[in-house]
Amino acid sequence: MRSSFRGAGAAAVATALAVVVAGSWFGYQQLAGPSCSGEIQLSVAATPELAPAVADAASQWVKDGAAVGGTCIAVTVTSSDSVEVAAAVASKHGATLAGVGQASGTAVTPDVWIPDSSTWLLRLKNNGATAFAPGNGASIARSPIVVAMPEPVAASRLGWPDKKLSWTDLLRAVSSDKPLRAGIVEPTRDAAGLSGLLSLTAAASASGGDAQQATTGALRALATGRSALRQDLLARFPRSNDPASIASALSAAALSEEDVMAYNNTKPPIPLAALYLEPSPMPLDYPYAVLPGVEPSKASAARVLYELLTTQGFKNRLAAQSLRAPDGNWGEGFRAPQGAPSPAGGQSTVPPAGVGAAGGLDPVAIDRAVSGWSIATQSGRMLCVIDVSGSMKTEVPSANNASRAQVTVAAASRGLNLFDDSWSIGLWTFSTNLVGSRDWREIVPINPLSSNRSRLEQGLGFVRPSDGNTGLYDTMLEAYKTVQRDWEPGRVNSVVLFTDGKNEDDNGISQTKLLSELKALADPERPVQVVIIGIGNEVSKAELQSITSVTGGGTFVTEDPTKIGDIFLKAIALRPNAPR
């Protein structure tokens, strides 16, 4: 959700603005006559801070008598939050985005989508929307990510505006004995928050010592000051210039340059300083995405509209909205915050986490950041179940010939460090006939990590493969019953099971019996989510999916066991919010 501190222009575009525009195949500058016939309906959803500029440019085109090959184009420009359109696109393409949730019943995917960041396109592609291949994707605007701080706080705590600052400086200030009151807009739903999260966690990872502990500490420091909506976070900055108000208010948050400029345009009692920290975070880049499935005539109209949005005139319209052109330059009337880098300059040569050496986005880094955030900032109750059948002795060449079991335990151990003490976690292993004729063994019962962490660490250290087969069905049914039996409200109750094989228990229940039992147990008032992580090339994804289609949750399969750490975190992060 973008800031509510906007002028009348943004309010006017809050409802769809329909304008008739037309132009030439060879660019709007080669416009023909003012007459046209017919109509091509082109729908455009643009992020709120950009929508007025797009709508104004299209409206001017109409006034100039534009036409495309004699055919009129009607363009509907709608101000739409990026997360809402992302949810609709995800629903249409079968993707699941951590923290985004379901699309509203009225959400409709447009022909052209201009979100605030390319990270939305990447997250969709990397989280299930394999057929999602939007056209164009070029940036039409830019807004750097800054750390917004009340000017008195920036001056007294960090030496602004005279001192050149880094994300490591901010990390120290957030983690000090007298920490800054840091905040963030939920980074799973906000591109500026995600960019700030990537930069701060990169600084924590490079801080020396226990990098994971430093990263987790940074995540939790931010989590205490997170807001679901951007305007809610902005409202927490000091609204009075007395020292007590400043001391108790929000002290720092990752926002866009445009957000800070829009906020300061309201003449608040305490203006915000925009800190341009090094290395420079991913900016908001406003990609022009023509969504898949658009018919050819609309695609042609979209290409002409894109040309219109790359002119000097549009750059000046961007300036009126406190936005830069894609190259970092700005148009007439742009009033840069104090300390802003010169147009197109001031960018670090070292890309932050999430940005590749060529400026491209790193989907793995982004997924890790989103997953780590989701785990570190939520609370749940989970039973971890690890396959210890004989095939888990198989060596993994890409992991220095460690066994599948060792790679799995290492991934679970790393993940354990991300969970805070509010989580309740238990540990089982399974094969066949582990305890007499029973296929599973309880290593550690489900209890709060505040008292259970050391037992879990020790229990993981004693996980060893057996010589048995894979008693999947009996184990899954009993694990489900165990979690459901002591179900806790207000938390996500789940089973997370690792396996490298198919069910091979001749004396156990059948697949049909398992699925019928799970259907009978399923209770929408006491749901248990099941996440199954299949390892290697011997698993049956269809078999595993038959289980999670009944229980809810998800199935993740990788032939490369070294990837299960990232898959584990991603799987936990994708769980829905707990019912209340």
Side-chain angles (χ1 to χ4, degrees):
M1 177 69 72
R2 302 302 296 172
S3 169
S4 61
F5 295 94
R6 298 286 185 268
V13 80
T15 56
L17 171 63
V19 294
V20 178
V21 299
S24 165
W25 260 96
F26 304 100
Y28 86 101
Q29 291 179 327
Q30 286 101 24
L31 298 176
S35 62
C36 61
S37 61
E39 185 175 89
I40 299 172
Q41 293 280 348
L42 185 69
S43 62
V44 180
T47 192
E49 69 273 24
L50 182 65
V54 175
D56 287 348
S59 180
Q60 184 62 52
W61 197 8
V62 171
K63 292 178 182 177
D64 291 342
V68 175
T71 302
C72 303
I73 304 172
V75 181
T76 303
V77 180
T78 306
S79 173
S80 303
D81 288 316
S82 298
V83 66
E84 300 300 333
V85 181
V89 174
S91 177
K92 182 176 181 178
H93 289 272
T96 307
L97 302 184
V100 168
Q102 299 297 313
S104 65
T106 59
V108 178
T109 57
D111 301 317
V112 176
W113 179 28
I114 314 176
D116 54 8
S117 172
S118 293
T119 56
W120 290 112
L121 308 181
L122 185 68
R123 288 179 64 192
L124 283 161
K125 183 70 174 178
N126 205 45
N127 286 279
T130 54
F132 180 69
N136 195 322
S139 171
I140 65 167
R142 180 186 181 97
S143 190
I145 300 303
V146 302
V147 172
M149 299 183 71
E151 288 186 355
V153 177
S156 63
R157 292 294 299 269
L158 294 178
W160 174 87
D162 301 321
K163 184 179 178 182
K164 190 172 183 179
L165 298 165
S166 69
W167 285 93
T168 302
D169 294 323
L170 180 66
L171 179 64
R172 291 194 193 101
V174 169
S175 307
S176 69
D177 293 337
K178 294 182 180 180
L180 286 174
R181 292 177 178 267
I184 191 171
V185 185
E186 185 66 43
T188 59
R189 299 176 59 83
D190 182 85
L194 175 57
S195 181
L197 176 68
L198 284 164
S199 290
L200 193 63
T201 53
S205 297
S207 61
D210 190 333
Q212 185 169 24
Q213 183 177 0
T215 300
T216 303
L219 293 178
R220 290 175 184 157
L222 289 176
T224 60
R226 73 183 185 270
S227 296
L229 301 177
R230 183 172 297 263
Q231 62 262 37
D232 292 344
L233 181 134
L234 286 163
R236 291 168 50 206
F237 281 115
R239 307 302 293 172
S240 170
N241 57 14
D242 68 274
S245 174
I246 295 173
S248 61
L250 184 66
S251 299
L255 295 168
S256 71
E257 179 184 71
E258 179 272 336
D259 278 312
V260 173
M261 294 170 70
Y263 181 89
N264 286 342
N265 284 342
T266 67
K267 306 299 182 184
I270 303 293
L272 294 179
L275 277 59
Y276 296 81
L277 303 187
E278 293 290 340
S280 300
M282 293 184 302
L284 300 184
D285 63 339
Y286 303 95
Y288 185 89
V290 182
L291 296 190
V294 172
E295 60 190 69
S297 61
K298 289 187 177 184
S300 298
R303 283 195 291 271
V304 179
L305 178 59
Y306 170 73
E307 288 189 42
L308 181 68
L309 304 181
T310 59
T311 63
Q312 179 63 41
F314 187 68
K315 182 189 292 187
N316 294 337
R317 295 186 191 279
L318 291 174
Q321 298 301 128
S322 301
L323 292 168
R324 303 179 184 222
D327 62 0
N329 285 280
W330 52 66
E332 297 174 4
F334 186 91
R335 305 179 68 176
Q338 186 173 3
S342 59
Q347 298 301 311
S348 170
T349 57
V350 181
V355 180
L361 301 174
D362 180 355
V364 175
I366 290 173
D367 270 350
R368 284 175 179 167
V370 169
S371 300
W373 169 264
S374 298
I375 292 171
T377 58
Q378 67 179 346
S379 178
R381 180 172 172 271
M382 180 178 75
L383 177 59
C384 179
V385 185
I386 298 178
D387 187 346
V388 291
S389 60
S391 56
M392 290 292 282
K393 298 176 183 177
T394 303
E395 293 182 346
V396 180
S398 56
N400 295 321
N401 291 325
S403 68
R404 288 176 179 173
Q406 289 172 320
V407 172
T408 302
V409 167
S413 297
R414 288 193 300 272
L416 180 62
N417 291 329
L418 283 176
F419 298 100
D420 70 17
D421 286 349
S422 68
W423 278 76
S424 292
I425 299 179
L427 175 65
W428 286 12
T429 57
F430 77 101
S431 178
T432 49
N433 304 318
L434 274 188
V435 181
S437 61
R438 201 177 71 192
D439 293 341
W440 65 91
R441 173 181 286 122
E442 180 182 81
I443 306 299
V444 182
I446 304 173
N447 279 308
L449 281 179
S450 55
S451 59
N452 217 30
R453 190 179 297 274
S454 61
R455 292 185 63 194
L456 281 165
E457 291 171 347
Q458 293 171 2
L460 285 168
F462 285 104
V463 171
R464 299 285 188 277
S466 70
D467 294 322
N469 293 324
T470 306
L472 176 62
Y473 295 160
D474 283 0
T475 301
M476 176 55 68
L477 180 59
E478 189 60 29
Y480 189 95
K481 290 179 178 178
T482 298
V483 173
Q484 190 181 60
R485 184 181 307 122
D486 296 315
W487 189 91
E488 293 184 17
R491 313 175 82 184
V492 177
N493 293 253
S494 62
V495 176
V496 177
L497 183 143
F498 298 85
T499 184
D500 72 340
K502 299 182 286 288
N503 183 71
E504 299 172 327
D505 183 5
D506 294 335
N507 298 317
I509 60 174
S510 66
Q511 182 182 40
T512 301
K513 177 66 172 176
L514 169 67
L515 299 182
S516 66
E517 290 275 358
L518 290 174
K519 287 178 183 177
L521 289 168
D523 181 353
E525 298 299 318
R526 296 164 61 88
V528 175
Q529 298 293 319
V530 174
V531 172
I532 306 178
I533 299 175
I535 308 161
N537 56 11
E538 298 165 19
V539 298
S540 168
K541 189 171 184 178
E543 177 185 65
L544 302 182
Q545 286 179 328
S546 71
I547 298 171
T548 55
S549 65
V550 172
T551 61
T555 297
F556 302 81
V557 174
T558 177
E559 292 189 9
D560 182 358
T562 62
K563 294 181 179 179
I564 64 173
D566 287 333
I567 291 174
F568 173 49
L569 300 184
K570 187 174 179 178
I572 300 300
L574 288 177
R575 299 178 311 153
N577 294 328
R580 296 187 181 276

